[in-house]
Amino acid sequence: MDLGETPAVAAEIFGDRLEQAVRYAELLADAGVRRGLIGPREVPRLWERHILNCAVLGEALPDKRSLSLCDVGSGAGLPGIPVALARPDVEITLLEPLLRRTTFLEEVVRELRLDNVTVLRGRAEEMVGKIQVDVVTARAVAPLDRLAGWGLPLLRPYGQMLALKGESAEQEVAEHKAALQKLGAESWSVEVIGAAVVSTPTHVVRVQVGESPGGVRAAARRAKAARASRAGTRRRR
């Protein structure tokens, strides 16, 4: 499928990793479409709406050395892979429960030689206590309250969740303030980034936690219930 020309601004964002970014776009347009990870109608706007829209998240990351990030429900690698290409200094985990998606992600990481990226198959609630990162991010995965319930327990003390949302981000924050407080969030804000790069800027909900990120016990209970449910299903077969 025709991707069109690579936007000139891509060179500014990806620098010496531009060739890898172009290859990622080609993989999304080919295998990504064939495997149902990207809709065919999205191909002409892969750069603008997906790759660049996600890559600008790199400018919103905390200014910290040895930064680690987990992309929850990574799907086709958005936003994790564009961020990994734009910010090779960040250690990134792509967390995805579905096998066909993790298979694609592993192939992409291997072909693009992304040594700062790890692919992990599983659900966020199953990873509590197994992984702990400075930043959790996600794009179009779930409403903010559910996403916070999955993501905040994975954070280190004083970590942040950066959720990519649409123009209704402010409204979503207003609706879920109580849930964020219950999960131990200390502050939250909506930021618009990438205005100089893409015609439709990226809206990011930034949620800051304190010394003890909340939701850990609740996530552990959900993981236990999910394991019990799967075990019961296997026994009935």
Side-chain angles (χ1 to χ4, degrees):
M1 295 189 180
D2 186 16
L3 275 168
E5 292 186 8
T6 302
V9 72
E12 299 177 26
I13 293 175
F14 296 113
D16 59 5
R17 286 193 165 191
L18 176 61
E19 184 178 337
Q20 290 159 286
V22 171
R23 182 56 184 148
Y24 176 52
E26 293 170 347
L27 290 168
L28 286 176
D30 184 8
V33 172
R34 284 190 286 103
R35 300 185 193 184
L37 305 181
I38 291 288
R41 293 183 180 180
E42 296 301 307
V43 172
R45 50 188 183 180
L46 270 177
W47 281 107
E48 171 78 11
R49 184 169 178 173
H50 298 285
I51 299 173
L52 296 177
N53 184 269
C54 290
V56 295
L57 184 64
E59 70 185 59
L61 295 180
D63 185 13
K64 177 183 176 181
R65 298 180 68 179
S66 302
L67 192 71
S68 58
L69 178 149
C70 179
D71 178 15
V72 174
S74 188
L78 300 164
I81 289 179
V83 174
L85 289 166
R87 290 289 304 271
D89 58 312
V90 178
E91 290 296 322
I92 293 178
T93 298
L94 306 179
L95 181 59
E96 169 57 48
L98 296 184
L99 177 60
R100 65 185 177 88
R101 293 176 180 173
T102 55
T103 299
F104 173 78
L105 293 173
E106 288 168 348
E107 292 171 0
V108 170
V109 168
R110 186 165 53 249
E111 179 158 345
L112 300 187
R113 302 183 302 282
L114 296 177
D115 54 10
N116 62 323
V117 179
T118 299
V119 178
L120 192 59
R121 185 184 176 198
R123 300 182 183 278
E125 56 264 37
E126 298 171 339
M127 297 300 150
V128 176
K130 298 179 181 178
I131 62 173
Q132 199 174 40
V133 294
D134 300 302
V135 177
V136 165
T137 189
R139 179 179 188 248
V141 171
L144 187 60
D145 57 341
R146 267 195 287 160
L147 181 57
W150 296 335
L152 297 192
L154 302 179
L155 289 173
R156 290 184 175 134
Y158 307 106
Q160 298 181 9
M161 181 177 75
L162 300 176
L164 278 66
K165 293 289 184 178
E167 295 182 357
S168 61
E170 292 276 6
Q171 179 183 344
E172 196 167 348
V173 168
E175 290 175 356
H176 299 301
K177 280 183 179 180
L180 293 176
Q181 289 176 320
K182 189 175 180 180
L183 287 164
E186 294 198 339
S187 64
W188 46 84
S189 61
V190 176
E191 302 172 13
V192 180
I193 59 175
V197 176
V198 290
S199 58
T200 304
T202 302
H203 290 71
V204 177
V205 177
R206 186 188 299 271
V207 179
Q208 177 81 49
V209 300
E211 186 176 358
S212 301
V216 174
R217 292 182 180 177
R221 287 196 299 270
R222 290 196 301 271
K224 184 177 180 180
R227 287 194 297 269
S229 176
R230 288 196 295 271
T233 300
R234 287 195 295 269
R235 283 196 297 269
R236 289 192 295 269
R237 288 177 178 172

